[in-house]
Every structure is written in C-alpha cells, then in structure tokens.
Amino acid sequence: MQRGQEVSSSVLTVPNLISLLRLALVPVFAVLIVSGHDVWALVVLAVSGFTDWLDGVLARRLRQVSKLGEMLDPAADRLFIFVTLAGLAWRGVVPLWVLVVIVARDALLALLVVLLGRRGYGPLPVSFVGKAGTFALLYAFPLLLLAEMPGAVGAVAHVAGWAFTWWGVGLYWLAGWQYLRQARRLLGAGAHDDGGGTPGRWEQR
C-alpha cells in the first residue's frame, strides 16, 4: 500500500475476489503436490504468483485498497508457503527443519497479533523485508519441484531453489525480528500511557 492511500472497509472488490481465488487454489495445490502431479502443481503456483501481483496492482490503480484485502493477501501467501513446505517435507524433497523454522516464525507473529489486539492495536503492516522473504520462498518452491527432474535442468533448479530457500528463511526471520521490535515499542508505549494516548494507532517507519 502506498503512503497516503485510503483504506476502505469494502468487501466485494476486484482485488479481494482475486485474493479469494488464490485462497481457493491452496487445497487444489495441496492435492496436486501430495499426489505427485508436479507439472500441474507448478501451473497452480504460477497462477498464484500472478494473482498475487495482480491484486496488488489493481488495488492501487482502482483505489480499492481495503482492510480485508490487507489480511487476505498475506494469509494466502502464508498458506501457500505452509502447504508447499508440508508437501515437500512429506515427500522428502526438503528436510523437516525448513518447515519448522517457517512455522515457528509465523507462530511468533500470531502471538504478537494477539498481544497487540488485547491492547487495542491492529496487525502490524507488512514490511519490505517480509515481502521480499515471502517472494524468495515462493520462487524457491517451483525450483525445488523442478529439482526433482533428472539432468541439467534438475541440477540447476536444485542450486537455485536452495539459494532462494536460504535467502527466504533469512529474510523471513529478519522481518520477524523487525515486527518483534515494533511490537515491543508499541506495548512499551501503551504500558507507560497515562490514558491520553489513542489505542490502535502507530507510526509507520
């Protein structure tokens, strides 16, 4: 979202419908990856990546940035990350620790959302680092699937896929650390507030 962009409470918007479509693709992708239909799984991943880009562009150009959309977009990304990693770990393509470190970071953010909500604050905005980490992981998944192919294509995809995986995990946790620092500042300010402050408002940095 651009600074100064008005956020509406609308539900039935074009970007929200696209985000809902991406959410609906999650179980389809899960069945495909578990059953070993890698080609179709790659197609679904490509469609998901395109819709992720498209709903953001349309939200800005059509001035349809909404509160629901700000929740649906990262939710769809995290679901795809979790389902893909769970499927790849189940098939033995990636080790279980990759799934654990990603889930642990999201569990930390979920706890922060609960703590902030109890103090009257909304969810923290998605940071550039967090978005970059998400994109890196979403690029890693199709490459790791391609790495299952024999020959030069699989070898190159294996190296590139793991490079994106390491970058994605690092950026994912760096963003988690940034969110934790933001939450500590907000919760600390709320603890010292004598009642004159306004809950639910924070300064974007």
Side-chain angles (χ1 to χ4, degrees), residues 11 48 56 60 62 71 81 90 92-93 101 105 138 147 151 173 197-198:
V11 175
S48 173
R60 291 187 294 270
L62 299 177
M71 292 187 295
I81 289 173
W90 183 79
V93 177
V101 296
R105 185 268 197 181
L138 291 176
W173 269 99
T198 303

Side-chain angles (χ1 to χ4, degrees), residues 48-70:
S48 173
F50 175 73
T51 57
D52 188 19
W53 168 82
L54 182 62
D55 64 5
V57 171
L58 291 178
R60 291 187 294 270
R61 292 188 177 180
L62 299 177
R63 298 185 179 274
Q64 293 184 347
V65 177
S66 65
K67 295 178 181 178
L68 178 61
E70 289 182 340

Side-chain angles (χ1 to χ4, degrees), residues 156-190:
V156 172
H158 177 82
V159 174
W162 275 107
F164 274 109
T165 299
W166 280 109
W167 274 105
V169 169
L171 292 172
Y172 215 58
W173 269 99
L174 177 58
W177 173 249
Q178 291 177 339
Y179 295 142
L180 180 61
R181 292 183 61 187
Q182 285 181 319
R184 288 182 62 184
R185 285 200 300 267
L186 288 173
L187 295 175

Side-chain angles (χ1 to χ4, degrees), residues 28-168:
V28 176
F29 177 76
V31 172
L32 291 172
I33 195 171
V34 169
S35 59
H37 293 87
D38 292 349
V39 174
W40 284 109
L42 286 170
V43 171
V44 173
L45 267 182
V47 172
S48 173
F50 175 73
T51 57
D52 188 19
W53 168 82
L54 182 62
D55 64 5
V57 171
L58 291 178
R60 291 187 294 270
R61 292 188 177 180
L62 299 177
R63 298 185 179 274
Q64 293 184 347
V65 177
S66 65
K67 295 178 181 178
L68 178 61
E70 289 182 340
M71 292 187 295
L72 285 177
D73 188 45
D77 289 341
R78 289 192 178 100
L79 274 176
F80 259 107
I81 289 173
F82 173 76
V83 169
T84 306
L85 280 176
L88 293 178
W90 183 79
R91 288 175 51 180
V93 177
V94 298
L96 185 60
W97 68 261
V98 178
L99 175 62
V100 172
V101 296
I102 295 299
V103 172
R105 185 268 197 181
D106 285 341
L108 172 64
L109 291 192
L111 177 61
L112 291 180
V113 169
V114 173
L115 293 176
L116 290 171
R118 289 180 177 178
R119 296 289 184 88
Y121 295 102
L124 294 170
V126 178
S127 70
F128 173 79
V129 175
K131 198 66 175 176
T134 299
F135 277 138
L137 291 174
L138 291 176
Y139 276 117
F141 300 149
L143 289 170
L144 291 175
L145 283 174
L146 284 175
E148 294 295 286
M149 297 179 60
V153 173
V156 172
H158 177 82
V159 174
W162 275 107
F164 274 109
T165 299
W166 280 109
W167 274 105

